[in-house]
């Protein structure tokens, strides 16, 4: 049975990374906590100091406490706590010791966190991408939804895009429930942010070129086949979004490669955040994000909120 319920965030965590976009991501977390009446946890990571670095600090006549005090981290923490207090958001602070990824995920599990917010890590390569290594790992292994805030995001979100895949030719209850969750969280976020909500579904026409070439079909025959496939996807999308229709501003049913079309739409229409799902492969727990979703996350030029399927168990919790 598909579950549709009114969700509420009770606890949101912000991960301090000392990136350029940290304060913007924190402001987003505070705003969401204020509007949803959620509590806020400030997470900071503190990796163990290597013997080599410890010796170097000591040789310079510095002690380890003074070394940490010289960091801008403490000043940022104080500024963020003041901002949270001004918005009447309850805040607690937690330090992750040791390996960041494992410590962050275990803390989120133990506190039953509803959402993790962090600034996008800078990534380097031929093209500009959103996700750095830690971003990618958190999206794959976090037990809760992950919000990656882009560096130049606007203070308020006016346009939200939910990317769904109703898959009319497959009967996968977990996949369908994930689509429902995407719509549920996106509509909830649109209410909180008083934003416009759009829906996008990209349908593929596999073997179209082959049918036109070696298949020997006429252009008209292939067009008829394509129209029938589109109709099936339209029907499946209509059934999926029916409970949310009153909240939806516009529906985009696009043909082509999902990663390319979603990224292009988000860029052309200047969406502030895209809500999408990550899919388990072959039933292997913890192995998330198919090629399409990962490509979208790499190419998209706005903030993202990535959800897991229900029943997902982080591989970090298993070991």
């Amino acid at each position: 049975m598909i579950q549709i319920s009114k969700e509420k965030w009770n606890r949101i965590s912000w991960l301090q990374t000392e990136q350029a976009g940290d304060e913007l991501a924190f402001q987003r977390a505070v705003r969401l906590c204020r509007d949803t009446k959620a509590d806020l946890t400030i997470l900071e990571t503190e990796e163990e100091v290597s013997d080599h670095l410890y010796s170097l600090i000591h040789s310079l006549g510095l002690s380890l406490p003074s070394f940490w005090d010289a960091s801008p981290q403490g000043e940022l923490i104080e500024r963020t706590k003041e901002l949270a207090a001004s918005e009447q958001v309850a805040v607690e602070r937690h330090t992750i010791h040791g390996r960041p990824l494992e410590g962050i995920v275990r803390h989120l599990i133990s506190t039953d966190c509803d959402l993790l917010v962090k600034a996008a890590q800078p990534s380097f390569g031929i093209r500009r991408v959103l996700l750095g290594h830690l971003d990618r790992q958190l999206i794959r292994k976090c037990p809760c939804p992950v919000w990656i805030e882009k560096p130049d995001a606007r203070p308020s979100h006016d346009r939200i895009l939910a990317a769904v895949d109703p898959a009319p030719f497959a009967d996968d209850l977990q996949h369908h429930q994930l689509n429902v969750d995407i719509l549920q969280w996106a509509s909830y976020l649109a209410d909180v942010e008083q934003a416009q909500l759009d829906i996008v579904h990209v349908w593929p026409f596999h073997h179209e070129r082959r049918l036109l070439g070696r298949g020997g079909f006429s252009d008209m025959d292939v067009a008829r086949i394509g129209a029938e496939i589109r109709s099936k996807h339209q029907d499946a999308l209509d059934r999926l979004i029916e409970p949310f229709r009153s909240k939806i501003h516009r529906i985009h049913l696009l043909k082509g490669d999902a990663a390319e079309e979603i990224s292009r739409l988000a860029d052309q229409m200047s969406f502030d955040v895209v809500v999408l799902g990550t899919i388990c492969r072959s039933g292997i727990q913890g192995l998330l994000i198919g090629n399409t979703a990962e490509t979208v996350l790499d190419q998209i030029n706005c903030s993202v909120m990535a959800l897991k399927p229900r029943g997902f168990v982080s591989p970090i919790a298993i070991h």
Side-chain angles (χ1 to χ4, degrees), residues 152-197:
D152 55 348
R154 291 181 290 183
S156 63
H157 285 155
D158 300 320
R159 310 194 69 184
I160 296 169
L161 179 66
V164 294
D165 179 21
F169 303 106
D171 186 16
D172 185 337
L173 185 61
Q174 184 188 52
H175 183 91
H176 185 56
Q177 181 66 65
L178 179 58
N179 282 319
V180 173
D181 289 343
I182 291 167
L183 292 171
Q184 182 168 302
W185 284 114
S187 61
Y188 178 55
L189 181 60
D191 287 342
V192 168
E193 293 279 286
Q194 296 184 338
Q196 170 184 303
L197 174 62

Side-chain angles (χ1 to χ4, degrees), residues 35-63:
D35 293 342
T36 63
K37 310 301 182 184
D39 295 333
L40 177 64
T41 299
I42 297 174
L43 297 178
E44 55 181 336
T45 59
E46 186 176 296
E47 296 189 61
E48 294 180 1
V49 179
S50 66
D51 292 339
H52 174 72
L53 180 57
Y54 184 86
S55 299
L56 178 60
I57 292 171
H58 183 71
S59 71
L60 295 173
L62 300 172
S63 64

Side-chain angles (χ1 to χ4, degrees), residues 60-161:
L60 295 173
L62 300 172
S63 64
L64 197 56
S66 64
F67 170 76
W68 293 129
D69 291 342
S71 167
Q73 190 176 42
E75 295 179 8
L76 177 57
I77 286 290
E78 290 307 312
R79 291 202 305 273
T80 54
K81 290 174 72 174
E82 290 175 4
L83 174 61
S86 70
E87 296 289 353
Q88 299 183 326
V89 172
V91 179
E92 65 179 39
R93 178 179 171 184
H94 183 79
T95 302
I96 305 293
H97 298 278
R99 301 175 67 179
L101 177 64
E102 287 81 357
I104 292 166
V105 171
R106 290 196 171 98
H107 177 77
L108 296 174
I109 293 172
S110 67
T111 58
D112 196 24
C113 184
D114 296 301
L115 179 68
L116 174 67
V117 180
K118 73 176 297 293
Q121 279 184 301
S123 297
F124 304 95
I126 296 175
R127 64 186 180 191
R128 180 182 183 276
V129 296
L130 175 66
L131 297 182
H133 175 71
L134 182 59
D135 296 343
R136 194 179 300 274
Q137 290 297 315
L138 286 170
I139 285 176
R140 289 176 177 178
K141 298 180 180 180
C142 256
C144 65
V146 178
W147 183 303
I148 306 293
E149 183 83 353
K150 73 172 183 177
D152 55 348
R154 291 181 290 183
S156 63
H157 285 155
D158 300 320
R159 310 194 69 184
I160 296 169
L161 179 66

